[in-house]
Amino acid sequence: MAQVAKHYHIPFWWDDRELKQLWREYNLNRKKSEIIPLFFEILLIFSSGLRTFEKIVQTLEGSDKDKEKALQLLELLILFQRQNEQKLAGERHIPNRIVSFDEPDARPIKKGKKHPDCEFGSTLQLSFNRQGFMVTTENFIGKPNDKTLWPETVRLFEQKMKGAPEYAIGDQGYRSRVNQKIPQGTPNIFLGKSSDVNEEEQDYCRKARSATEGFIAVAKKLRGFGLSLYRGIDGDRIWSLLCQIAYNLKKFLQLYNDEKISEESLMKLGLLG
C-alpha cells in the first residue's frame, strides 16, 4: 500500500512511525503472552488501512497498467486479510496461503529433511536422458503429488524425444500401479525397486537412477536452478527455460570435447563435413 501511495503521491493514511514501532516490538518480543496483543493491534491498523485503500484504488487515475497492478495488489491484500481471519479462527491448513507479497505464487513446501523442514517458493520437475541432457522442465505452484506428475512428464518426454524410451526411471515417489505401466511400449520401467525390472537390467537402472541425482545436483548448484531471479510463476518458467538452454549447451560442450557425440548427431548439427 505504501508503494502505491508513493507512486500516486498520496499521503499515508496511517501512522507509519507507530506501525514500524509496533512491528519492531512484535519481532523482538519473545513472550507469547505479550505478542498476541501486539499482533492484534497491528492487524487492526492493517484492516483499517485496507478499507481506505480499497476506496482509493477505485478512484485512481492513470495508465491502465498501473491501475491493474493496484487492483491486483488489492485482491491479494483482501485474500491475505481473509487468511489471517482463518488462521486466528484456528484453521491449520489454508489452501493457497500467501507467504510473500513480492512472490504471491510462493507456497510453504514441507521438505523431507531436518533443517530446514519447510521452505517457501514454487517447485520444479526435471527429466533427463541417459547422456545427461535435460529434456523437460515443469514448474508448479506448491508441491503436487509426484504420482500425479509422472504421466504428464512421460508425455512431454516422448513428445520431445519423438518416441517412447527403452528405459523409464524414477524414484519411489512416482510409484503406483498405473505409473508402472507408463509409458506404454517401454520394456523397462524402474520406479525405485529392483524387482521392477529383470535381474540383468537392475544394475543399469540403479546406476541411471544415481546418475540422475548427480544431474539434478549440478543443475541446482552450478546451472542456476537453485534460485529464480525472476518473479512469479511465469518468471520462474522463463528462468527455468533459460537455465535449461545453458545446462544443455554446457553438457554438449563437455561431451563434444570428450568425443562422446556420435558422428550421426554431429552431421545433423552441421558440425561434421
Side-chain angles (χ1 to χ4, degrees):
M1 290 190 289
Q3 289 177 357
V4 173
K6 288 177 181 177
H7 180 78
Y8 286 96
H9 307 289
I10 301 171
F12 289 168
W13 52 92
W14 65 88
D15 189 331
D16 199 46
R17 182 179 296 180
E18 179 192 5
L19 186 58
K20 285 181 178 179
Q21 185 177 353
L22 283 169
W23 189 245
R24 184 173 184 275
E25 188 178 349
Y26 172 82
N27 284 314
L28 292 176
N29 200 309
R30 300 300 181 205
K31 296 181 180 179
K32 190 173 181 181
S33 60
E34 296 178 10
I35 282 179
I36 294 175
L38 285 170
F39 177 75
F40 272 102
E41 194 169 349
I42 293 169
L43 197 60
L44 284 172
I45 294 174
F46 174 78
S47 299
S48 176
L50 181 58
R51 288 194 293 271
T52 304
F53 181 65
E54 188 171 2
K55 295 176 183 177
I56 290 172
V57 168
Q58 303 301 331
T59 59
L60 284 179
E61 295 181 359
S63 69
D64 292 339
K65 187 176 180 180
D66 286 339
K67 187 163 184 178
E68 184 181 352
K69 285 183 178 179
L71 287 168
Q72 288 174 350
L73 175 61
L74 175 61
E75 185 179 346
L76 186 64
L77 290 171
I78 291 172
L79 176 59
F80 175 72
Q81 172 76 351
R82 191 182 305 126
Q83 289 180 349
N84 271 338
E85 292 170 355
Q86 289 177 286
K87 189 70 176 177
L88 292 171
E91 292 188 35
R92 298 187 63 184
H93 302 288
I94 300 173
N96 299 319
R97 179 182 164 196
I98 302 300
V99 296
S100 170
F101 290 143
D102 288 328
E103 284 286 347
D105 293 323
R107 297 291 182 269
I109 299 167
K110 196 73 173 175
K111 308 292 286 186
K113 53 187 179 182
K114 289 185 178 180
H115 180 78
D117 63 348
C118 183
E119 293 181 332
F120 301 90
S122 56
T123 46
L124 171 70
Q125 177 156 280
L126 309 172
S127 69
F128 302 83
N129 69 4
R130 188 61 183 92
Q131 285 182 297
F133 284 101
M134 189 180 298
V135 179
T136 66
T137 59
E138 299 169 85
N139 299 84
F140 304 100
I141 295 175
K143 190 177 186 303
N145 190 316
D146 287 343
K147 289 183 176 66
T148 65
L149 299 181
W150 179 261
E152 177 62 13
T153 299
V154 169
R155 187 191 69 78
L156 290 173
F157 188 96
E158 290 179 315
Q159 183 180 352
K160 288 284 184 70
M161 300 301 290
K162 310 298 182 185
E166 184 179 354
Y167 296 86
I169 298 171
D171 60 28
Q172 291 197 46
Y174 299 99
R175 192 178 184 82
S176 73
R177 288 185 178 180
V178 174
N179 290 346
Q180 285 177 278
K181 299 178 182 178
I182 300 174
Q184 294 181 357
T186 295
N188 302 295
I189 300 175
F190 178 87
L191 297 179
K193 286 190 176 182
S194 297
S195 57
D196 290 343
V197 295
N198 295 328
E199 187 174 350
E200 58 269 20
E201 304 291 349
Q202 290 175 5
D203 188 53
Y204 177 89
C205 290
R206 284 194 292 264
K207 287 181 178 179
R209 178 69 190 88
S210 297
T212 303
E213 291 292 342
F215 301 153
I216 292 172
V218 169
K220 185 176 180 180
K221 301 295 183 182
L222 302 178
R223 303 290 182 261
F225 281 94
L227 176 65
S228 172
L229 299 185
Y230 295 163
R231 292 185 177 182
I233 191 67
D234 291 335
D236 292 344
R237 181 61 183 157
I238 293 169
W239 182 257
S240 297
L241 292 173
L242 291 173
C243 289
Q244 181 183 14
I245 293 169
Y247 178 96
N248 285 333
L249 282 173
K250 184 69 174 180
K251 174 60 68 175
F252 176 83
L253 290 174
Q254 288 173 341
L255 296 176
Y256 180 76
N257 290 334
D258 293 339
E259 298 183 352
K260 292 183 178 179
I261 303 290
S262 68
E263 289 188 7
E264 182 182 359
S265 297
L266 292 174
M267 288 181 68
K268 287 182 178 180
L269 293 169
L271 298 176
L272 189 67

